[in-house]
Amino acid sequence: QVQLVESGGGLVRPGGSLRLSCAASGSIFSIYDMGWYRQAPGKQRELVAVITSGGSTNYADSVKGRFTISRNNAENTVDLQMNSLKPEDSAFYYCNADILLKSGPQKWYWGQGTQVTVSS
């Protein structure tokens, strides 16, 4: 009933930038928090950034000052602008969202992920 589709990953050199986008579609009544997580090989999935429906944001300490999360409530999208990328930012990045369906249930949904590789 709901799909989250990410785009924008790829290979970038250290110090470079990438912009990830995520679009939610389906039988959506309302979207509350939206966020980005990442998981590197052999590591646990970790929160990168989250944004509320009102625009309040929270970031992992490791990305503060370099990454910016934003959303478009009318289009049900959330973006992650990543600047000054470091090799340790390499991971699979996942979008997630807390969604209330038109049919009633509210739950968290995940996208399929997009690979970000920072390497020279």
Side-chain angles (χ1 to χ4, degrees), residues 21-76:
S21 296
C22 173
S25 62
S27 184
I28 297 170
F29 180 79
S30 185
I31 303 180
Y32 302 104
D33 290 0
M34 301 185 82
W36 289 93
Y37 285 71
R38 66 187 181 187
Q39 187 168 19
K43 295 188 176 181
Q44 288 189 329
R45 190 174 296 191
E46 62 175 359
L47 174 68
V48 176
V50 63
I51 185 168
T52 69
S53 56
S56 296
T57 59
N58 194 29
Y59 297 91
D61 288 342
S62 60
V63 307
K64 282 181 182 176
R66 300 187 297 122
F67 291 10
T68 302
I69 189 170
S70 60
R71 65 188 285 173
N72 183 319
N73 290 333
E75 297 184 359
N76 291 336

Side-chain angles (χ1 to χ4, degrees), residues 98-115:
D98 184 11
I99 298 175
L100 175 64
L101 302 181
K102 291 179 180 177
S103 60
Q106 178 180 346
K107 60 180 286 188
W108 286 93
Y109 290 85
W110 291 88
Q112 81 288 351
T114 185
Q115 179 70 47

